[in-house]
Amino acid sequence: MSAATSVGPVLPAVSGTRGRRRGRWNAPLVAGLVLFALIVLCALCAPLLTSYDPIQQSLKDAFLPPGSPHHLLGTDALGRDVLSRLLYGARVDLRVGVLAVISPFVIGSLIGLISGWFGGWVDAVIGRIVDMVIAFPFLVLVIALVFAMGPGTTSIYTAITLVGWVAYCRIVRGQVLVAKEQEYAMAARASGLPTWRILLRHLLPNVILQAFVFSMSDIVLTLLAIVTLGFLGLGVPPPTPDWGTMIQEGQQFILTKWYMSTIPGLAVVLTGLALALIADGIVEKANK
């Protein structure tokens, strides 16, 4: 009687609290998705937002300031429309930035899954390889690899894959070491299921969230790497526009024509902010 009396009032209160929590908006996630969607939409709709060719030169229109007639964000040293180059450059940088993260995400997650599950000499060998890669700063190693292979998107994809997988491997391995001791994993093993089925169907869905959250931040790091490579002349070959090249081209005029470097720099910051908000929102949602 007393147990029923004590439990009765508590259950509705807990249920109501959960209902209210579910009803709350995840502000960081919504803000990040909206901002990132706007950036992607602007990139996709570049031909509708500007009529200028991003590589078309017009020396008589060089160095027009922002707000000039027909050139909302001005022109660069060669008379090319800055807005057009910004939008078409977003297409290049976002495509390369997102695609360059997919391979490290997949490869690193699978290697981390194998390393954490089997342990022993398999884990030791993979661990030594990971230690060798992380001994060098990410950006320095990527620049060195791209320099050795030559500029271009293929070199960028290859370099980031060779360096970036280790972070996902470490994250997933740590999650697997904990997850494989859980009851569901031990039950799957005791039931005689094939190892691949246990890893892919039972373990992977339960350990991949942290790696996915990290991938949002990793896209930001990859974008910065792409912009840095473009700044150093190792990125996307000209005349294809990209934000790093725009920043590099405007640096010598930074005191007088500040907009040439500042505008693409702000684009990088806004994209990074959007992805950071998405990552924070996913973490907040997962912790509820």
Side-chain angles (χ1 to χ4, degrees), residues 1 12 15 24 45 48 54 58 86-87 104 130 148 163 174 198-199 203 224 263 273:
M1 184 71 175
S15 178
R24 289 175 56 190
C45 296
L48 302 177
S58 178
L86 185 74
L87 295 176
V130 169
V163 180
I198 296 174
L199 293 178
L203 273 183
L224 291 175
I263 290 175
L273 175 62

Side-chain angles (χ1 to χ4, degrees), residues 108-109 111-113 115 126 130 165-174:
S109 297
I111 294 177
L113 196 65
S115 177
I126 294 174
V130 169
W165 69 271
V166 296
Y168 297 98
C169 177
R170 297 183 72 187
I171 292 171
V172 173
R173 174 187 175 274

Side-chain angles (χ1 to χ4, degrees), residues 26-276:
N26 190 324
L29 182 59
V30 172
L33 288 173
V34 169
L35 181 56
F36 189 67
L38 287 174
I39 294 171
V40 172
L41 187 63
C42 287
L44 293 176
C45 296
L48 302 177
L49 297 176
T50 177
S51 59
Y52 290 99
D53 188 330
I55 64 175
Q56 182 65 45
Q57 301 179 14
S58 178
L59 296 180
K60 65 182 180 63
D61 294 323
F63 295 128
L64 293 178
S68 299
H70 310 298
H71 296 283
L72 182 63
L73 298 181
T75 59
D76 64 8
L78 298 176
R80 297 172 297 190
D81 184 66
V82 172
L83 176 60
S84 176
R85 292 181 62 77
L86 185 74
L87 295 176
Y88 282 94
R91 285 182 162 192
V92 175
D93 288 338
L94 291 176
R95 184 184 72 249
V96 176
V98 172
L99 292 180
V101 169
I102 293 176
S103 292
F105 175 82
V106 174
I107 295 172
S109 297
L110 291 177
I111 294 177
L113 196 65
I114 293 170
S115 177
W117 178 259
F118 289 102
W121 68 268
V122 175
D123 187 37
V125 171
I126 294 174
R128 297 296 78 77
I129 297 174
V130 169
D131 290 341
M132 286 190 295
V133 176
I134 64 175
F136 302 91
F138 171 81
L139 190 55
V140 172
L141 198 51
V142 168
I143 292 173
L145 289 171
V146 173
F147 181 80
M149 292 183 288
T153 54
T154 301
S155 299
I156 294 173
Y157 291 141
T158 304
I160 291 175
T161 299
L162 290 174
V163 180
W165 69 271
V166 296
Y168 297 98
C169 177
R170 297 183 72 187
I171 292 171
V172 173
R173 174 187 175 274
Q175 295 292 313
V176 171
L177 290 176
V178 175
K180 72 178 184 179
E181 302 299 330
Q182 300 297 317
E183 292 183 359
Y184 74 88
M186 294 193 303
R189 183 188 297 179
S191 66
L193 292 174
T195 300
W196 68 267
R197 186 179 179 88
I198 296 174
L199 293 178
L200 298 181
R201 183 161 184 176
H202 296 278
L203 273 183
L204 188 60
N206 290 287
V207 302
I208 202 65
L209 178 61
Q210 290 297 327
F212 180 75
V213 171
F214 176 76
S215 70
M216 296 294 104
S217 301
D218 197 30
I219 294 176
V220 179
L221 296 176
T222 302
L223 262 178
L224 291 175
I226 295 168
V227 169
T228 303
L229 289 169
F231 183 83
L232 296 174
L234 297 172
V236 180
T240 304
D242 79 285
W243 292 341
T245 303
M246 292 179 68
I247 295 173
Q248 187 273 334
E249 291 172 346
Q251 67 166 337
Q252 56 185 317
F253 309 107
I254 191 65
L255 295 179
T256 56
K257 311 299 179 184
W258 56 269
Y259 60 90
M260 290 177 58
S261 293
T262 303
I263 290 175
L266 287 175
V268 175
V269 171
L270 285 176
T271 304
L273 175 62
L275 293 168

